[in-house]
Amino acid sequence: MTADTLALPTYDDARVVVPAPAAGPGNWAGAASAVLHEGVFWLTWRVRRPLTDGRGVSVVVARSDDGERFEPVVEVRREAFGAESFERPVLVPLPGGGWRLYLSCATPGSKHWWVDSLTAASVEGLPLGERRIVLPGDERTAVKDPVILRGEHGWDMWLCCHPLTETGAEDRMTTRHLTSDDGLRWTDRGEVLVGRPGSWDARGARVTAVLTEEPLSVLYDGRPDAASNWHETTGVARWDGERLVADEALAPIRSPHSDGAFRYAAAVPLPSGETRFYIEAARPDGAHDLVTVVR
């Protein structure tokens, strides 16, 4: 399967579904995940302010009948988790009923992140749901921004990992693959995607969406250097039998505006055979909107 046969998101025809919370750099709506469940689109994203105004302040879960006009249902604040910031959340419908919300949480006063969760019988009940730390990370590794799939053979996660062993270089990132029987206890299957020295993804590579499972092909975020942190662009990688390998023939997909960010893509297969994408994209004033396209 080549890039020509994959449905890929681009900025063309993009429609804003959640505008940035304010104008200017550091004001971002995005880091979203989405699922189509029983005919309803569920979208969850983090609301982010500039560093001086609190960073990732909350996570919102919303619903839509058409995938474009969303009605907020619940909001979770970082204070409830003792977190300094939030990053990518994931909402998953559970077998037999109920919902689980995974949250990427920053440890105050450090570069460490962990993955937490809330489980409840309904989306509305999530803020008061059962809380459980899913992946704590450790003193050497920050963990965040999971991509989670649940299928008939169990659960898969692609997890963004930031090494904390070198002060000032904690922005580096790789992706590891994990599996689970219940979505709470995970087994690490190893590193599957890293950046390529001298390339546009040299500083790191973070899986953001699974496009196809057989064979495995994914979208991922990458950036060339530390200065490009928060301004990642999107590439494609495929499984070669041992790990994910970047498609070197495909230029990174960018926004045409300001810092060029086009990141945290989420992919929702549609009954029509098309795919609806949600992406955090830079706009001319430096803020990031959450946009959608169908391909």
Side-chain angles (χ1 to χ4, degrees), residues 110-182:
S110 78
K111 300 293 186 179
H112 177 265
W113 290 78
W114 81 94
V115 177
D116 218 310
S117 70
L118 292 168
T119 303
S122 66
V123 173
E124 292 81 359
L126 283 170
L128 299 179
E130 179 183 355
R131 180 185 170 189
R132 179 163 171 174
I133 293 177
V134 177
L135 295 166
D138 55 37
E139 69 279 0
R140 297 178 61 85
T141 308
V143 295
K144 60 195 280 283
D145 302 334
V147 173
I148 298 173
L149 293 183
R150 180 181 61 81
E152 59 182 35
H153 301 299
W155 299 63
D156 289 277
M157 177 191 291
W158 290 267
L159 182 68
C160 180
C161 299
H162 295 262
L164 306 178
T165 52
E166 183 179 336
T167 301
E170 298 91 349
D171 66 287
R172 295 168 298 164
M173 58 187 184
T174 64
T175 300
R176 303 184 73 86
H177 178 223
L178 294 80
T179 59
S180 174
D181 292 327
D182 62 4

Side-chain angles (χ1 to χ4, degrees), residues 7 33-42 67 148-149 209-213 217 266-278 292-295:
S33 66
V35 62
L36 179 60
H37 182 64
E38 296 180 348
V40 176
F41 291 88
W42 292 93
I148 298 173
L149 293 183
V210 174
L211 297 175
T212 61
E213 295 184 65
S217 59
V268 180
L270 302 178
S272 65
E274 297 175 301
T275 301
R276 180 175 287 279
F277 294 97
Y278 297 92
T292 188
V293 295
V294 174
R295 297 287 185 261

